[in-house]
Amino acid sequence: MANATGTNSFGSRATLAVGSEKYEIYRLDALDKARVGHVDRLPFLLKVLLENLLRYEDGRTVRREDVEALASWDPKKASDREIAFRPARILLQDFTGVPAIVDLTAMREALKAMGGDPKKINPLQRTDLIIDHSVQVDTFGASFAFARNVEIEMERNRERYQFLRWGGQAFRNFTVVPPGTGICHQVNLEYLASAVYQGTGPDGARQAYPDTVIGTDSHTTMINGIGVLGWGVGGIEAEAAMLGQPISMLIPEVVGFKLHGRLREGVTATDLVLTVTQMLRQKGVVGKFVEFYGPGLSNLSAADRATIGNMAPEYGATVGFFPIDAVTLDYLRFTGRPDGVVALVERYCKEQGLFRTDATPDPIFSDTLELDLSTVEASLAGPRRPQDRVSLQNVKANFSENLPGLRAVKKGADPAEQPKTPQKVAIDDGRVRYDLADGSVVIAAITSCTNTSNPSVLLGAGLLAKKAVERGLRTMPWVKTSLAPGSKVVTDYLTKAGLMPYLQALGFHLVGYGCTTCIGNSGPLPEKIAAAQKEANLVVAAVLSGNRNFEGRIHAQVRANYLASPPLVVAFALAGTVNIDLTREPIGIDPNGQPVYLKDIWP
């Protein structure tokens, strides 16, 4: 879309040369020269919004006073000024993409009825739709699970997928990524995002400006991990933005989260994000923007940052933003972005004061908090909410404490009257006999965009599986296991690292590339397990590497749900229960009758 500007009242329009290429840019330092505000002290994400206002200043939707108000942002005062924000891109998933295509089609029909050319109706902003929310874990624990689940997915959604495919061909500026490719947020991270976007100005000039995105999924915030400002909106807002309409928003409050130190060996990005989620929930950041800063950022990979950015809806913020820096450039190179793109990102951000280093002065913020990364410990969150972090050593006590309340599901039931000791039911499934009890892990899922963007935790899961198999351990027979990576890249590196056979030996076969368990597409429990749970009103558990664990979300029959890193998902599949202290009790018994502890197989 051509940027409908032309006012340029601050004289910020300029030319930037990168190698042999030239780009039109809107310089932020023009405001300093005009003695407007204190741009150099602003949080990075506000600088991104400020550039957006400069570029779209037209005297109508964006006025000179809007630019001045944002440039002069007062961190100690909540602003009542609305500004107009226009993202560079729109991201849709398949559930919300269908209505968008229907509306565009209806507009074409209306224009045709009026005698116009229907082909003139197209998204004005680049729009990408990724089909990722429809795959369900019907088949699991087998080499053919992925093929069968995809087959069932196509049977259930054939008409809808045909319509989406037609939309991808019928409209300009609109791309549809087919099912079986990956989770929309990881596809956005690995392929779609550019950090600095290349667009076209109103006079046809080639422009460079910050890549920004809004999406119809709340976890669009994951992209903030590589310095791309983005968040989730409703379908109507997204469709309006597709058609070039600005998003009206108040100038936000920005909370700074300072990180320093380094994660200890064995502590994962999941442990960190659960800690951050707990801290920010306690702080209270609903409706606010969060920006991470400090020297600790240099010790976090882009995947670690994306994990934290992903969970913004869980800690209540609109975004959790990480400025562009050397780590971002490394990630862009690592994921195959062309050298010219990386060079543009580096040059543009340094020219605009949008490039962070450890020597960068701290921006001013509405409020701050900080965390020493070395204090983070192995954690889960549950049994009902993502902000209820619990240390690994306290999971057993946490489950026992919550058991009466989880059992009292009937309206009016008194938790105090419920049995406090675990109940159990004997099951014979024709292959093996076992007891299904309160706390039994019936779902162990490596799933969701939260963790399946992060090679460190996925390789950690594979290494733990390898050590477990070598010690002769096996997953408990009542556990429904699944591996639903964020993209095909994950299975590629797990296979090339030689770790996939070990995950498969423990039942973690590929079931699909999509959200699956995290959005409730965990599929049915085996009949005997489902019947036993219902008969005895058992409080069975799920352990998943997702971002939400509200009761009833993962599975209607599973009341205790714990978020965990992929290695811990594998560990609890081996243990078969959350009613255990894995820091002290054995995770299993090897074929020689010797106890095996988590520390023995932790990578």
Side-chain angles (χ1 to χ4, degrees):
M1 175 190 176
N3 295 331
T5 63
T7 305
N8 192 32
S9 60
F10 298 96
S12 61
R13 189 163 54 233
T15 299
L16 177 71
V18 182
S20 61
E21 304 291 338
K22 291 185 178 180
Y23 303 88
E24 181 181 87
I25 68 170
Y26 283 76
R27 299 188 66 95
L28 292 169
D29 60 9
L31 294 168
D32 290 325
K33 293 175 181 177
R35 299 183 180 232
V36 176
H38 42 256
V39 177
D40 60 324
R41 297 297 312 282
L42 291 178
F44 284 84
L45 64 84
L46 289 187
K47 292 181 183 180
V48 173
L49 292 176
L50 186 58
E51 187 280 340
N52 198 271
L53 295 182
L54 284 173
R55 185 161 32 93
Y56 281 102
E57 184 197 359
D58 57 5
R60 183 173 56 87
T61 60
V62 179
R63 296 168 298 171
R64 179 187 178 96
E65 305 88 77
D66 299 328
V67 176
E68 291 173 338
L70 183 53
S72 305
W73 178 71
D74 183 350
K76 300 305 177 185
K77 181 181 177 182
S79 176
D80 59 359
R81 177 173 287 274
E82 288 191 0
I83 56 174
F85 168 65
R86 290 176 171 87
R89 300 183 290 116
I90 315 298
L91 182 69
L92 308 175
Q93 39 94 333
D94 44 319
F95 282 175
T96 51
V98 169
I101 298 179
V102 169
D103 289 344
L104 288 170
T105 305
M107 291 171 67
R108 280 193 169 186
E109 288 293 323
L111 187 58
K112 181 179 179 181
M114 291 187 291
D117 180 3
K119 291 185 178 180
K120 289 185 176 180
I121 300 294
N122 294 285
L124 294 179
Q125 298 287 59
R126 172 185 158 187
T127 302
D128 297 290
L129 185 152
I130 293 96
I131 299 173
D132 70 337
H133 271 52
S134 300
V135 63
Q136 178 173 294
V137 187
D138 291 285
T139 303
F140 70 98
S143 58
F144 55 84
F146 172 64
R148 180 56 184 147
N149 287 331
V150 169
E151 183 181 6
I152 296 171
E153 178 188 3
M154 296 302 294
E155 291 171 358
R156 288 174 177 150
N157 300 282
R158 186 172 304 279
E159 187 176 62
R160 187 161 60 98
Y161 285 178
Q162 288 173 338
F163 178 63
L164 290 173
R165 183 179 181 184
W166 169 83
Q169 297 170 338
F171 296 99
R172 295 195 308 273
N173 221 16
F174 187 88
T175 303
V176 176
V177 178
T181 302
I183 294 170
C184 61
H185 311 305
Q186 191 160 340
V187 174
N188 190 19
L189 196 72
E190 292 178 356
Y191 298 105
L192 303 178
S194 56
V196 170
Y197 198 82
Q198 299 179 42
T200 305
D203 56 357
R206 190 179 185 186
Q207 291 185 328
Y209 47 89
D211 185 11
T212 54
V213 62
I214 61 163
T216 53
D217 187 289
S218 59
H219 294 103
T220 302
T221 53
M222 182 171 178
I223 202 62
N224 288 275
I226 60 168
V228 176
L229 185 62
W231 63 89
V233 297
I236 293 176
E237 285 181 286
E239 287 191 34
M242 286 169 58
L243 300 176
Q245 295 301 303
I247 294 173
S248 181
M249 57 183 287
L250 290 172
I251 294 177
E253 295 180 59
V254 184
V255 175
F257 198 129
K258 189 169 189 175
L259 299 174
H260 52 90
R262 184 186 296 270
L263 293 174
R264 288 177 289 132
E265 184 177 347
V267 175
T268 69
T270 313
D271 305 321
L272 171 58
V273 75
L274 295 178
T275 302
V276 167
T277 299
Q278 181 186 46
M279 292 177 65
L280 286 171
R281 270 291 176 185
Q282 292 173 348
K283 185 74 171 177
V285 293
V286 173
K288 302 176 183 179
F289 285 46
V290 172
E291 179 168 304
F292 294 88
Y293 70 109
L297 268 63
S298 296
N299 297 324
L300 295 177
S301 69
D304 292 345
R305 299 174 183 190
T307 303
I308 297 171
N310 179 286
M311 290 282 277
E314 281 64 52
Y315 46 79
T318 304
V319 300
F321 185 80
F322 289 82
I324 290 171
D325 61 6
V327 173
T328 316
L329 299 180
D330 288 343
Y331 180 80
L332 294 175
R333 295 187 189 98
F334 182 68
T335 49
R337 267 69 166 197
D339 292 340
V341 169
V342 180
L344 173 62
V345 172
E346 182 173 11
R347 178 70 193 285
Y348 177 87
C349 291
K350 288 182 176 179
E351 195 75 18
Q352 290 279 60
L354 291 170
F355 194 86
R356 186 206 75 88
T357 70
D358 286 349
T360 300
D362 294 345
I364 54 174
F365 293 106
S366 305
D367 199 355
T368 60
L369 67 168
E370 64 180 272
L371 173 66
D372 181 350
L373 297 174
S374 67
T375 64
V376 177
E377 59 184 351
S379 303
L380 290 84
R384 287 188 174 107
R385 302 186 306 176
Q387 66 264 36
D388 293 336
R389 186 188 67 84
V390 54
S391 299
L392 177 60
Q393 61 186 358
N394 294 327
V395 170
K396 182 176 183 177
N398 173 272
F399 176 74
S400 297
E401 178 184 342
N402 284 279
L403 178 58
L406 293 168
R407 200 191 302 280
V409 292
K410 295 181 181 179
K411 190 174 182 180
D414 186 354
E417 297 176 357
Q418 306 304 312
K420 292 182 174 58
T421 56
Q423 307 297 297
K424 60 183 179 180
V425 175
I427 293 180
D428 184 349
D429 67 5
R431 297 176 297 112
V432 63
R433 296 179 181 180
Y434 53 84
D435 288 335
L436 190 72
D438 288 323
S440 290
V441 175
V442 295
I443 293 175
I446 299 176
T447 182
S448 161
C449 44
T450 314
N451 287 283
T452 54
S453 69
N454 197 324
S456 66
V457 291
L458 284 160
L459 289 168
L463 289 168
L464 189 141
K466 180 177 185 293
K467 290 190 172 189
V469 170
E470 290 171 347
R471 287 297 301 268
L473 300 184
R474 290 294 181 267
T475 302
M476 291 301 177
W478 55 82
V479 183
K480 181 174 185 177
T481 49
S482 60
L483 171 63
S487 77
K488 294 181 178 179
V489 173
V490 176
T491 43
D492 284 347
Y493 65 64
L494 286 173
T495 300
K496 290 178 180 177
L499 296 175
M500 190 64 85
Y502 298 102
L503 286 164
Q504 293 170 339
L506 298 181
F508 288 93
H509 289 264
L510 174 68
V511 296
Y513 296 100
C515 295
T516 63
T517 305
C518 196
I519 60 167
N521 288 359
S522 51
L525 297 176
E527 289 184 11
K528 289 185 180 292
I529 291 175
Q533 184 281 325
K534 186 176 182 179
E535 172 194 343
N537 192 29
L538 296 176
V539 178
V540 292
V543 180
L544 67 151
S545 64
N547 45 36
R548 288 180 176 166
N549 57 336
F550 310 119
E551 187 175 326
R553 179 183 176 95
I554 306 306
H555 192 285
Q557 289 185 268
V558 182
R559 295 178 209 150
N561 300 282
Y562 288 89
L563 305 181
S565 65
L568 285 179
V569 171
V570 176
F572 277 98
L574 294 168
T577 180
V578 294
N579 194 26
I580 186 174
D581 179 359
L582 287 181
T583 66
R584 294 183 178 88
E585 300 177 58
I587 195 171
I589 306 297
D590 70 14
N592 297 321
Q594 297 299 310
V596 179
Y597 293 86
L598 180 61
K599 63 182 180 181
D600 299 331
I601 59 172
W602 190 262

